[in-house]
């Protein structure tokens, strides 16, 4: 059994017909349940549920505090390389884009690590494009050896790996994986990933499960919002998270909600996700999966991020750059996409305090 079986169950589901029939009573029943099933979750993603966001928000706030306390975990991304052999239409690193390609040497990784750790951050997310030639697994393992001196938690957002390769990186010091399916709709997926190994939908879809089987401590999934209708995509994301959470009890499952941002290339997203709908997704997810971490990155505006503290978000990036060596190198390269919240780690830390929450830099350390 793979999550694909679950996806197939709903692939041709009549979402519109379902949403059209939802009544006020259905929404209130789902909100008031102690444990929501997948149909309740879908009910809370409906048009009708938009009239009940305030009630959902109150329950979401209580559940978040009950399961996580009044804290926001902070991390920052570190781009190791932008070489990529895939042609993902929505990404600035896509193989057909004429950008300066770069990969950090070990001394450069160390410089980035020093600067980032001086800001107080202890959780780093390292990223590469997909190029086994330029950034093979052993290169990533060598970077981890350097980063371990500065950070207590190292998570990866790289190309999907086999289970034994995830094990190798766990042995090297990795404790978390972030991997987005980008778009769960299999037909749209094929149209957006024109060439390269990423065209293999199933291999990517099963990557979070392979990481769980390799005993990864935390696995974070998501869809890039804007590539298909958000009501369907967030439903498939929640189902995926719930599938993994119920099957792999020792792995902490998290969900990110990245909305597509401007980047180099012509691609324009067809399915714009409004702020109020992003809020609806957060609330519906929290009510469906009360103990799942939810991440909101610096893709989002400062004001929106500030307002969402307390509503269901548990993790935020801070002081981000999407350029290779973006924290230290003088010679700048193109970023993967534009950052919206450009504030420093200190500024974000202060806002979190102002909201009555505690910024957390370190919540885990390998023995
Ligand atoms: S999304 Fe990832 S795999 Fe696709 S082009 Fe960008 S870096 Fe490469």
């Amino acid at each position: 059994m793979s999550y694909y079986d679950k996806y197939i169950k709903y692939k041709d589901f009549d979402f519109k017909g379902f949403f059209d029939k939802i009544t006020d009573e259905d929404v209130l029943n789902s909100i008031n349940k102690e444990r929501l099933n997948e149909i309740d979750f879908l009910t809370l993603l409906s048009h009708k549920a938009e009239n009940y966001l305030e009630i959902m928000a109150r329950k979401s706030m209580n559940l978040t505090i009950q399961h996580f306390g009044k804290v926001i975990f902070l991390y920052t991304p570190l781009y190791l390389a932008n070489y990529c052999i895939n042609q993902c239409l929505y990404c600035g690193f896509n193989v057909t884009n004429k950008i300066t390609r770069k990969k950090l040497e070990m001394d450069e990784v160390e410089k980035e690590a020093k600067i980032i750790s001086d800001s107080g951050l202890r959780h780093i997310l390292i990223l590469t494009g997909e190029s086994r030639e330029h950034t093979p697994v052993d290169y990533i393992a060598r970077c981890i050896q350097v980063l371990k001196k500065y950070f207590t938690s190292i998570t990866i957002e790289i190309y999907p790996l086999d289970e034994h390769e995830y094990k190798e990186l766990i042995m090297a010091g990795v404790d978390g994986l972030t991997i987005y399916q980008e778009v769960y709709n299999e037909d749209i997926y094929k149209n957006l990933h024109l060439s390269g190994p990423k065209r293999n939908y199933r291999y990517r879809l099963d990557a979070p499960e392979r990481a769980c089987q390799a005993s990864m401590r935390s696995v974070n999934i998501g869809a890039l919002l804007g590539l298909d209708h958000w009501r369907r995509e967030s439903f498939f994301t929640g189902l995926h998270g719930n599938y993994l959470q119920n099957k792999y009890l020792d792995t902490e499952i998290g969900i990110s909600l990245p909305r597509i941002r401007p980047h180099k290339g012509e691609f324009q997203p067809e399915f714009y996700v409004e702020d109020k709908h992003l809020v609806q997704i957060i609330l519906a997810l929290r009510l469906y999966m009360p103990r799942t971490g939810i991440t909101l990155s610096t893709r989002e505006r400062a004001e929106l991020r500030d307002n969402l503290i307390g509503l269901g978000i548990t993790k935020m990036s801070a002081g981000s750059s999407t350029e290779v060596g973006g924290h230290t190198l003088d010679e700048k390269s193109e970023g993967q996409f534009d950052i919206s919240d450009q504030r420093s780690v200190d500024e974000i830390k202060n806002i979190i305090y102002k909201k009555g929450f505690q910024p957390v830099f370190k919540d885990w350390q390998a023995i």
Side-chain angles (χ1 to χ4, degrees), residues 75 77-81 124-130 140 154-160 174 176-180 182 204 220 256 258 299 336-337:
Y75 72 98
L78 193 177
Y79 279 74
L80 297 176
I124 194 93
L125 170 69
I126 55 175
L127 299 96
T128 65
E130 178 153 10
I140 293 162
I154 302 170
T155 57
I156 49 170
E157 187 174 341
I158 61 169
Y159 47 91
V174 162
L177 168 73
T178 287
I179 188 160
Y180 302 147
E182 319 291 16
R204 190 169 187 89
N220 192 43
S256 288
R299 286 170 180 264
Q336 189 182 25
F337 53 85

Side-chain angles (χ1 to χ4, degrees), residues 296-311:
L296 199 67
S297 77
T298 45
R299 286 170 180 264
E300 299 299 338
R301 302 186 318 279
E303 189 196 3
L304 178 68
R305 296 214 314 157
D306 296 352
N307 289 334
L308 289 175
I309 293 173
L311 276 192

Side-chain angles (χ1 to χ4, degrees), residues 84 86 88 90-91 93-94 129 198 336:
C84 192
N86 288 313
C88 311
Y90 49 83
C91 176
F93 291 171
N94 153 1
K198 197 166 170 181
Q336 189 182 25

